[in-house]
Amino acid sequence: MRGALQFAVCLHLILLCLAGGAAAQRTKGTKLDPRIAAQVDEVIRAKIDETGAVGLAVGIIQDRRVALVETYGLANRETNKPVTRNTMFRWASCSKPVTALAAMQLVDQGRLNLDDDIRKYVPEFPQHDATITVRQLLCHQGGIVHYSNGKVIPTLVDYEKAHPFADVVVALDRFKASPLVAVPGTKYSYSTYGYILLSAVVQRAGNEPFAEQVSKRIAGPAKLKSLQPDYQWINIPHRAEGYRKKDDMIVPSVDEDVSWKLGGGGFISNIDDFAGFAATLLQGNLLSPTAYEAMWTRQHTTDGKETEYGLGFNITPQRAGLRVSHNGSQEKTRTRLVIYPEKGSGVVLMTNSEWVEPEDFTTAIFKALK
């Protein structure tokens, strides 16, 4: 009786917390201990108060399953529309692990080799007097330019059809004439353009449009029903509005078209599917054990220096076990995915507030979970 009474009191306190302040929705049948859930809710609300985040969604994974999903605040401040589990947030650079997973599936199938010259698949990409391998694109050692670390030279073409960059090979026109920023393999140099090139390699090696490969081989098996390209010309219900700060004022963000960088930062989904993707990674169902190990192994440059990046993920050895993570930063969104493969646990976060540092939230959440 005493245990039942304590449980009832805890549950009542949680419900009171959810009724006030930022609106929150909890996954039905949560597997998280109610007392721990209340602690997580408390730290999230404190961080929201501290940062002034407009809208936010969090997913928690335990035992390789989604244990809790919560949403807070507003998806649209102007219409007072709350964030719900249907709200669609941009993944930004957390799209890169999706592309890495699609590439490693082809490696498992023998249709792609990590040490292949990428021009074997995409001869449209200039040689640049250097060989760039699939592995080097995956671990950001291909020497491909990023947004501001070198000169980006677009190839100007008059396209006959609308939305040409939905074809990831055509999207190479955005940067393929740009000079390399380093000799491939000699330096870690983060590049969204490099992952656009990788998505083109995946498209050619898989002999099917990149977006369809992701849909069939990742979203379908993992039951990620909302995961899709953030194409501006498609009516995607429940898109979150984005917000940024201007002179300490919170104002609506720009709504830039990101369709051209699908493999590097162009996916969108609700929080359930972002958390479901993290859980799927931990369940190990979409790749061979060897492929997962390769993805989650820090890579080395040609001079033997170890980097902090594997094949599609940041890799950080910790006392609690290997931490596998990725951040996303883009107009309208900030995202973070963190998993511990050995523990089968993780936290994901999505927000429409560009000034928020997601890692501050996930760090506080992990402390509350202990």
Side-chain angles (χ1 to χ4, degrees), residues 125 132 137 142-146 149 175 180-181 189 191 193-194 197:
F125 192 78
I132 302 171
L137 291 183
I144 306 297
V145 69
H146 192 43
N149 65 339
F175 68 95
L180 299 182
V181 298
S189 185
S191 174
Y193 290 119
L197 179 53

Side-chain angles (χ1 to χ4, degrees), residues 101-364:
L101 187 61
M104 295 304 292
Q105 286 178 328
L106 294 176
V107 172
D108 267 345
Q109 296 169 16
R111 303 172 74 179
L112 189 61
N113 189 301
L114 288 176
D115 297 314
D116 277 345
D117 182 342
I118 56 95
R119 297 186 73 254
K120 173 182 176 181
Y121 306 96
V122 191
E124 296 92 335
F125 192 78
Q127 190 166 1
H128 291 296
D129 294 324
T131 296
I132 302 171
T133 68
V134 176
R135 182 190 303 275
Q136 288 166 348
L137 291 183
L138 278 161
C139 66
H140 295 293
Q141 293 184 35
I144 306 297
V145 69
H146 192 43
Y147 297 133
S148 59
N149 65 339
K151 189 174 184 179
V152 179
I153 303 175
T155 300
L156 302 179
V157 178
D158 290 328
Y159 302 103
E160 294 182 357
K161 63 180 182 179
H163 319 303
F165 295 150
D167 182 337
V168 295
V169 175
V170 177
L172 301 180
D173 289 346
R174 292 287 299 245
F175 68 95
K176 69 183 182 184
S178 307
L180 299 182
V181 298
V183 175
T186 64
K187 180 182 179 182
Y188 169 84
S189 185
Y190 186 87
S191 174
T192 290
Y193 290 119
Y195 263 72
I196 299 169
L197 179 53
L198 180 61
S199 71
V201 171
V202 170
Q203 178 163 298
R204 288 286 174 74
N207 198 31
E208 195 171 19
F210 172 69
E212 291 184 22
Q213 292 188 51
V214 170
S215 177
K216 291 179 180 179
R217 299 205 315 268
I218 298 175
K223 300 180 180 179
L224 311 179
K225 296 181 180 180
S226 73
L227 178 64
Q228 61 190 287
D230 186 17
Y231 292 152
Q232 299 295 94
W233 59 90
I234 294 177
N235 179 24
I236 300 177
H238 310 297
R239 274 190 176 111
E241 293 298 319
Y243 296 92
R244 61 187 176 90
K245 283 190 175 181
K246 181 180 180 181
D247 299 327
D248 293 326
M249 297 287 291
I250 296 175
V251 299
S253 182
V254 296
D255 192 16
E256 183 180 335
D257 181 6
V258 296
S259 62
W260 60 272
K261 57 177 176 179
L262 180 59
F267 283 99
I268 189 171
S269 85
N270 60 30
I271 184 61
D272 283 80
D273 284 350
F274 193 39
F277 177 71
T280 297
L281 289 172
L282 290 168
Q283 291 161 15
N285 297 328
L286 298 183
L287 290 176
S288 68
T290 302
Y292 278 111
E293 183 179 1
M295 280 204 310
W296 296 339
T297 298
R298 284 182 163 190
Q299 300 296 296
H300 294 77
T301 55
T302 51
D303 63 359
K305 183 179 179 181
E306 183 180 80
T307 72
E308 296 181 357
Y309 206 86
L311 303 180
F313 298 86
N314 292 294
I315 308 299
T316 310
Q318 292 189 332
R319 185 177 301 176
L322 198 68
R323 185 181 75 186
V324 176
S325 65
H326 214 289
N327 290 340
S329 176
Q330 190 181 89
E331 295 82 8
K332 299 178 63 175
T333 193
R334 292 292 186 271
T335 56
R336 181 163 170 80
L337 179 154
V338 189
I339 56 174
Y340 287 86
E342 294 150 290
K343 298 174 63 178
S345 63
V347 173
V348 298
L349 182 140
M350 313 173 98
T351 179
N352 58 356
S353 305
E354 295 178 12
W355 62 92
V356 166
E357 294 293 340
E359 189 169 359
D360 292 344
F361 276 83
T362 57
T363 298

Side-chain angles (χ1 to χ4, degrees), residues 25-69:
Q25 293 190 352
R26 175 156 294 148
T27 298
K28 293 180 180 179
T30 176
K31 299 175 184 177
L32 203 62
D33 183 291
R35 292 168 295 178
I36 302 298
Q39 293 172 12
V40 168
D41 183 71
E42 183 179 353
V43 299
I44 292 172
R45 290 178 185 278
K47 282 292 179 183
I48 290 174
D49 290 343
E50 177 186 323
T51 62
V54 177
L56 189 124
V58 173
I60 295 174
I61 298 92
Q62 288 194 336
D63 298 323
R64 307 183 194 282
R65 302 286 177 184
V66 179
L68 184 71
V69 169

